[in-house]
Amino acid sequence: MEERNGISRRGFLRGTAAVALGGAGFALAGCSPNAEKQEQALASGTYAGTAMGRAGNVTVELTVNNGCIVKAAMIDSSETAVISDNAAERVLRDIVEYQTVAVDTVAGATLTSMAVISAAELALKQAGDIAAFKAGPDYPAPSCEDCSADVVIVGAGSAGMNAAAKLIDAGANVILVEKQGFLGGGDTMFASSGLAGGGGYTVYKKGIADSSEQDYLDAKKKTAEKSGLPVDIDCLTAYSLRSGDAVDAYIAIGVPFGRYANFSNTIIDGSSPGTHIIKRLSEQMDAKGVDYRLNTALVSIVKEGDTVTGVVVANDAGEYTISAGAVLLACGGFGNNEDMLAEYADAAEYCGLPHSGSASAMGEGILAAEAIGADICNMTAIKANNICHITDTGAVISLAAIQSVAVLVDDTGKRFISETGSTVHEKSDAELGLPNQEAWAIFDQTTIDEKKLISDYNDLGYFETGDSWEKLAEAMGFDDAAKHNFVETMERWQSTGVGNVEEEFGAKVASVFDNPPYYAALVKPAMQSTYGGIRTDPSARVVDSSGGVISGLYAAGAVSGHGCFGNEVGNGLAIASAFGIIAAETIASDRAL
């Protein structure tokens, strides 16, 4: 089955019969040409089918009337915690519009797409003979004509879509290109814990003390000083003071942030923020009429003299040039590019590990900018997520949502590092030093009750459980010696008390796990993100190798080497979100929009 490439939003929607119903569901406005033949084959009704996706089951419901598929909806899925339901929506829309289950998969979400298609076919078979619904659709041919815009944005993640929305509001003509087959396939989709920052609606409405934007910045400066890293304080200041604006912008479009503690905004029900953010930003792209072009990859940056004047992009039809007064690169880092990891990040120990971040993070934006004289920096700043669970299907599930409370033990039942005093990077290195390069993350029912994402993972069977430490040790497969060590380890942790510092490794106890049953997740490090890239100033302008600004070129998110070190000092989601807003404001000012 071929992936569909090179169709812009405007080209794709022209003449479409499908309209969004809200959520992953679509209905037919008119019937297809072979309706008479279909009516003879299918019985009207609503049918459901289920198929296995990347991380779990996907259930699709089809409604058939008068021989037509009049509605398609994804009514249950474990995939949305891992991959945007934008991909599923695109497949469902095609099924309804083209009246076939032989639609193409979506680039960047092949396994999810195949699951949706398989589930839809199983559902439709219940209605009768589906031979008339197995023909491949007649997709419109992609266009590769040169064009122009005020601004072209490369990459449709949180940085790119935030910038696109603000620039449209400022009156700019924007073209947004994305190499994958759906919006939002970057690192934001995998954000499973919270958006760090100070200020914002939740903080000020609830009167939470010591949590302003300035308080957050002060805390980040202290972290930067302790880290010893070459943090760019000006860029750190810029994003920190806009972190409240970033969360407010999300709340304004319907992202259900509403819980706040320890400089972290989390979703009210404890679910993953990434999927909520991408869903709402994607809806904004449609609502604002943004010309977004999927399956369209960056080839090179066009520079005339000292000024960037556009980009060369490619789809299945070929290459073409988009001329623009400003180019914003927001196309992610290089966490999925093994060659760049080995060459630039000197991260040979992380090459070959599973990947918990975006498959699209291949670093082409960094390389294209470097080719026209942009400076690159902080290329050793990487994040290997130490708390990932690998499912039976090979899916990599980030459990970052439990990072702040979980206790880590090895196969001997003993702790091996400070859970609160060590960085994620240090924890990953420690786990890689263990015999099996894996550990157990321990938590209790309170986490299940408070974090919907973790509760969903428990329902999928990702964790071992027990009503006592002894029972949990048995479920984990520990021998008698390891079981003894484990019970002793956990009882010592409990006796330390919440808020106190335990003696062995100096971790501050966040929970004494007094709410059984207890849970254990088998975890190992996975390569997640990179935070080095194109050097930018605090206004998101790209800096060249001599220290000057490259006219017309801007960068935001993981493609930029902003110097905020999202793995150890800053927060990647907050950095991308805030700098997307900052970049749009800078472009609007520079272009007098």
Side-chain angles (χ1 to χ4, degrees), residues 62-78:
L62 299 183
T63 299
V64 176
N65 189 43
N66 293 326
C68 292
I69 305 171
V70 297
K71 183 180 177 182
M74 184 170 66
I75 60 173
D76 189 30
S77 173
S78 302

Side-chain angles (χ1 to χ4, degrees), residues 340-365:
M340 288 185 72
L341 285 174
E343 178 180 357
Y344 291 100
D346 191 25
E349 69 270 34
Y350 297 110
C351 292
L353 287 179
H355 290 259
S356 65
S358 172
S360 68
M362 296 297 291
E364 59 266 51

Side-chain angles (χ1 to χ4, degrees), residues 417-464:
I417 196 169
S418 171
E419 290 84 352
T420 62
S422 305
T423 66
V424 172
H425 201 73
E426 290 167 340
K427 293 175 190 176
S428 294
D429 286 343
E431 287 176 17
L432 288 174
L434 296 175
N436 295 324
Q437 295 189 333
E438 61 187 17
W440 292 93
I442 312 300
F443 52 100
D444 71 356
Q445 184 65 34
T446 299
T447 297
I448 298 291
D449 293 340
E450 293 182 351
K451 299 181 183 293
K452 183 179 184 300
L453 176 66
I454 302 304
S455 177
D456 289 344
Y457 287 155
N458 183 53
D459 292 342
L460 289 169
Y462 293 166
F463 311 137
E464 304 297 338

Side-chain angles (χ1 to χ4, degrees), residues 285-491:
M285 298 303 97
D286 285 324
K288 293 180 181 294
V290 176
D291 181 359
Y292 59 80
R293 306 183 178 198
L294 304 175
N295 301 299
T296 302
L298 174 67
V299 176
S300 61
I301 300 168
V302 180
K303 186 179 180 188
E304 298 179 4
D306 296 328
T307 301
V308 166
T309 60
V311 292
V312 176
V313 296
N315 59 27
D316 259 10
E319 297 182 0
Y320 65 99
T321 299
I322 304 175
S323 300
V327 172
L328 171 60
L329 299 177
C331 43
F334 58 98
N336 207 47
N337 188 321
E338 300 269 325
D339 292 337
M340 288 185 72
L341 285 174
E343 178 180 357
Y344 291 100
D346 191 25
E349 69 270 34
Y350 297 110
C351 292
L353 287 179
H355 290 259
S356 65
S358 172
S360 68
M362 296 297 291
E364 59 266 51
I366 297 170
L367 299 176
E370 185 182 24
I372 62 154
D375 192 20
I376 61 171
C377 60
N378 303 321
M379 296 295 280
T380 59
I382 66 174
K383 179 181 180 181
N385 187 346
N386 74 289
I387 197 161
C388 290
H389 177 71
I390 313 301
T391 73
D392 292 341
T393 64
V396 183
I397 307 299
S398 172
L399 300 179
I402 67 171
Q403 187 78 268
S404 62
V405 297
V407 166
L408 297 172
V409 301
D410 61 20
D411 282 341
T412 70
K414 296 181 178 181
R415 293 175 53 242
F416 54 91
I417 196 169
S418 171
E419 290 84 352
T420 62
S422 305
T423 66
V424 172
H425 201 73
E426 290 167 340
K427 293 175 190 176
S428 294
D429 286 343
E431 287 176 17
L432 288 174
L434 296 175
N436 295 324
Q437 295 189 333
E438 61 187 17
W440 292 93
I442 312 300
F443 52 100
D444 71 356
Q445 184 65 34
T446 299
T447 297
I448 298 291
D449 293 340
E450 293 182 351
K451 299 181 183 293
K452 183 179 184 300
L453 176 66
I454 302 304
S455 177
D456 289 344
Y457 287 155
N458 183 53
D459 292 342
L460 289 169
Y462 293 166
F463 311 137
E464 304 297 338
T465 186
D467 292 329
S468 65
W469 295 127
E470 290 83 358
K471 291 293 185 183
L472 181 59
E474 292 171 4
M476 295 158 69
F478 281 176
D479 60 23
D480 288 343
K483 178 179 176 181
H484 173 79
N485 291 337
F486 178 68
V487 173
E488 187 177 75
T489 294
M490 298 312 301
E491 288 179 346

